[in-house]
Amino acid sequence: MKEKTYTYEKKRYNVRITGIGYFGIAMFIYGLYRLITGGPLYFIGLCGISFYIIYETFITCANPNVVIISDKRITFKDPRRSDTYTWSEIKDWRVKELPDRKQCYIRINKQKFNFFKGRYWVYCYYFTDCDELYDFILDKEAELHPNTIKAENRRKYNDLKKKYEIEHAKEIQEAQEKKAKKRDKKRGH
């Protein structure tokens, strides 16, 4: 596989990820202010939740805006940092997928706990070539953990998908073109 870069839509990333991070900073400051001025103790909870939002947005690379995949490595990047893994160093690749939103929560090498690395929310729907990225993430889990029920189901799904694609190639092409036009119109392209 040649190196392939998947990029999150910039405007959407700024609103959905960065904007929420700045909102978290504002809520943290407000909660801290209320605690210092003798406000109710439930503002401790607000500060805790706000800190977690800040941590996920600005400290870790938990919400990447670029994913780069090649034969040798995978890289997750956000505007402040990047995490790169070679495929040989990845021993554990677990995915919790939300298929209706094409969203994945990826845990890499869970047994090697690290506060700053190893957990990623990838909102595939908003990335370039979203279907390809989403399928790659799920297929990689099945490849690295072939003896799981999820992997068996993924193989069955891929077999059925190939058979269907062969039998209905023309209809699929028309539907993809229609879907792409609709998505571009929705995104304002």
Side-chain angles (χ1 to χ4, degrees), residues 73-92:
R73 69 183 56 86
I74 185 166
T75 302
F76 300 93
K77 290 184 176 184
D78 75 7
R80 290 155 294 283
R81 66 176 282 157
S82 75
D83 296 338
T84 300
Y85 301 89
T86 61
W87 292 117
S88 60
E89 77 179 274
I90 296 176
K91 305 297 180 214
D92 191 33

Side-chain angles (χ1 to χ4, degrees), residues 28 31-32 34-35 39-51:
F28 184 78
L32 207 55
R34 289 299 307 259
L35 284 171
L41 289 180
Y42 60 76
F43 281 102
I44 292 172
L46 177 67
C47 287
I49 292 168
S50 300
F51 179 76

